[in-house]
Amino acid sequence: MKNTKAVFCLLAVALLGATVLPSARADTWNKKTVVTFSQAVEVPGKILPAGTYTFQLLDSPADRHIVQIFNADGSQIIATILAINDYRLQPTGNTVMKFSERPGDAPDALRAWFYPGDNFGQEFVYPKARAIQLAETTKFVVPAVAVDLDDNVIKTVPIVAVTPDQKEVEVTTVIQTTPAVAVAATPAPVAVKETEELPQTASSMPLIALLGGLSICLALGLKLFLKLAS
């Protein structure tokens, strides 16, 4: 009876794993995240009213920087947003949303989204005209594109960065788009102490003479011993 009960327990655990693990893998792949905003939020091309939304990456192995925003249950797509890599030094176990605060009652602009445990996130790319306004008012660098995005060009459009003084610069010069490379420290040279050979101040002749004398005495003693023994 105990063996039968144990088998049923093992089967139940196996079935639970079969239902939970695929969902966990799917969330890890597309970074599916459900978030609730207590106030309106601006994303590239849209103003999201306060409410619950589902963020996830487009299911494409070729481009992992296209973010899709759905309604709460994921049944309706609201926006498709181009993004770029944004690396951070210390990952956290929680979802992190970075905002650029705006003056007055204007909705805060969503800058980046970090999935729990990842050391990189998605930095959102805004249309160039809007990026210039945001960079000037928020004093942050904003990734931008110079054309209106649609499904035909979203994967090939060039991206620049707009600075608060309205200058265009290379994205990689102002945003950490690649992992930081640790520079190995060059070991300090080890000082080698040279051993000085002391000058020889005494002759070895007395030692040789002493050994010779001892040898003679030993030979005479041995000869005397043999004579007495006979």
Side-chain angles (χ1 to χ4, degrees):
M1 184 68 181
K2 290 183 179 180
N3 291 335
T4 304
K5 188 174 181 181
V7 170
F8 276 116
C9 289
L10 289 174
L11 288 175
V13 171
L15 289 174
L16 179 61
T19 57
V20 173
L21 289 179
S23 175
R25 291 194 193 100
D27 289 354
T28 303
W29 166 251
N30 61 20
K31 313 296 182 184
K32 182 179 178 181
T33 304
V34 178
V35 296
T36 299
F37 299 127
S38 60
Q39 59 186 17
V41 171
E42 180 180 0
V43 297
K46 295 281 184 179
I47 299 294
L48 303 179
T52 301
Y53 299 91
T54 299
F55 283 66
Q56 67 182 48
L57 297 181
L58 179 69
D59 188 12
S60 168
D63 194 321
R64 303 295 291 156
H65 303 295
I66 298 177
V67 179
Q68 294 179 310
I69 303 177
F70 295 83
N71 59 353
D73 62 6
S75 61
Q76 180 183 355
I77 188 167
I78 297 173
T80 299
I81 301 172
L82 183 63
I84 60 174
N85 256 344
D86 183 3
Y87 278 84
R88 55 181 175 174
L89 295 178
Q90 295 296 333
T92 67
N94 302 314
T95 297
V96 174
M97 295 282 187
K98 286 186 177 182
F99 295 88
S100 294
E101 295 184 1
R102 309 244 343 266
D105 297 331
D108 291 342
L110 186 58
R111 291 178 53 206
W113 159 45
F114 292 87
Y115 189 77
D118 285 350
N119 66 338
F120 65 93
Q122 307 298 325
E123 181 94 5
F124 294 106
V125 179
Y126 281 79
K128 186 177 179 181
R130 188 66 183 134
I132 292 173
Q133 296 172 350
L134 288 173
E136 185 178 8
T137 57
T138 63
K139 306 304 179 186
F140 281 105
V141 173
V142 180
V145 290
V147 297
D148 293 332
L149 299 179
D150 57 44
D151 293 340
N152 296 323
V153 300
I154 194 169
K155 297 181 182 180
T156 59
V157 64
I159 301 172
V160 297
V162 178
T163 64
D165 56 358
Q166 302 185 13
K167 293 181 180 179
E168 290 186 16
V169 297
E170 291 287 337
V171 171
T172 54
T173 63
V174 290
I175 296 175
Q176 186 71 41
T177 59
T178 57
V181 178
V183 179
T186 303
V190 179
V192 179
K193 185 178 180 180
E194 296 184 359
T195 303
E196 295 183 0
E197 185 177 352
L198 296 178
Q200 187 174 356
T201 56
S203 173
S204 58
M205 291 302 296
L207 179 60
I208 295 174
L210 178 61
L211 292 175
L214 290 175
S215 299
I216 293 172
C217 291
L218 182 60
L220 293 176
L222 180 59
K223 184 178 181 180
L224 179 61
F225 174 77
L226 293 174
K227 185 177 179 181
L228 291 176
S230 59

